[in-house]
Amino acid sequence: MGPDSSILQKFNKNPYKIADNFQIYRLVTPIVIHTGFNHLISNLATQLIFGSWLEGMVGFNHTMATYIVSGIGGNIFSAYCSDANSVGASTSINGLLTGVFAMITINWSAFSGNQQLEQMRCILLFFIVFAIVINLMIQDEGTDSWGHLGGAITGLLWGMAFFPRVKTLSGTRQ
């Protein structure tokens, strides 16, 4: 149960059609197309968990920008490294994962001094690193590992560059 094959052919990430025919829309459309119900549900569940964590920390606008930029960045990276066609929001999801990692990293000292916040930081980092490692290790047929890696790199860089720095008790930004 999934989209018609003609839909997949028209809107998937096809490196040759992106480069040769300038079909730039193929960098965005794979983010919203899935190969079936299970693919859609697993992506939605992951988005809800990690996207809500990130949104709680940086707000809707930063989260949405991270999602879209990571999806596009992951698809560009994948198109450069691989000839395979692909669809799915995994490029964006990996960007959300590393976005949470970036937020924790750039605001590291904001978690210090409070045992509950330090424990939360450790738990979040464990889940993020675990999810990234598992995601990058998946080598099933049809899985775009280059897209996963590209989305993760893009989300990390985007977060490090644009996420807000929390003020410390002394009033300085980290």
Side-chain angles (χ1 to χ4, degrees):
M1 184 171 130
D4 185 69
S5 63
S6 65
I7 298 292
L8 290 175
Q9 291 303 316
K10 288 179 185 174
F11 298 108
N12 67 4
K13 186 228 21 132
N14 182 321
Y16 297 109
K17 292 187 178 182
I18 293 168
D20 298 340
N21 299 339
F22 303 105
Q23 295 180 358
I24 303 301
Y25 68 89
R26 289 180 180 270
L27 297 172
V28 179
T29 54
I31 299 169
V32 296
I33 298 174
H34 295 81
T35 57
F37 186 72
N38 289 341
H39 187 212
L40 176 65
I41 293 301
S42 66
N43 276 214
L44 284 173
T46 308
Q47 287 173 38
L48 283 171
I49 293 166
F50 294 104
S52 63
W53 282 358
L54 186 59
E55 186 176 357
M57 289 189 269
V58 299
F60 174 80
N61 291 335
H62 282 297
T63 303
M64 184 55 69
T66 303
Y67 186 84
I68 293 168
V69 169
S70 296
I72 294 169
N75 285 326
I76 290 170
F77 189 80
S78 175
Y80 182 76
C81 296
S82 169
D83 294 339
N85 298 342
S86 63
V87 295
S90 297
T91 53
S92 296
I93 291 169
N94 278 281
L96 292 178
L97 290 170
T98 56
V100 173
F101 184 84
M103 185 61 189
I104 292 169
T105 303
I106 62 176
N107 292 295
W108 190 264
S109 63
F111 290 87
S112 300
N114 179 320
Q115 185 178 2
Q116 289 177 326
L117 287 176
E118 289 176 4
Q119 288 175 346
M120 181 59 77
R121 175 178 63 194
C122 289
I123 291 168
L124 285 172
L125 285 177
F126 171 78
F127 277 115
I128 297 304
V129 170
F130 179 77
I132 291 169
V133 167
I134 293 299
N135 226 324
L136 294 176
M137 287 176 51
I138 295 173
Q139 295 297 321
D140 293 341
E141 184 180 334
T143 300
D144 186 2
S145 296
W146 290 113
H148 290 184
L149 181 60
I153 292 168
T154 305
L156 180 66
L157 294 175
W158 183 266
M160 295 296 245
F162 297 110
F163 284 174
R165 274 54 175 176
V166 177
K167 288 185 179 180
T168 62
L169 294 176
S170 65
T172 59
R173 293 201 185 267
Q174 298 179 13

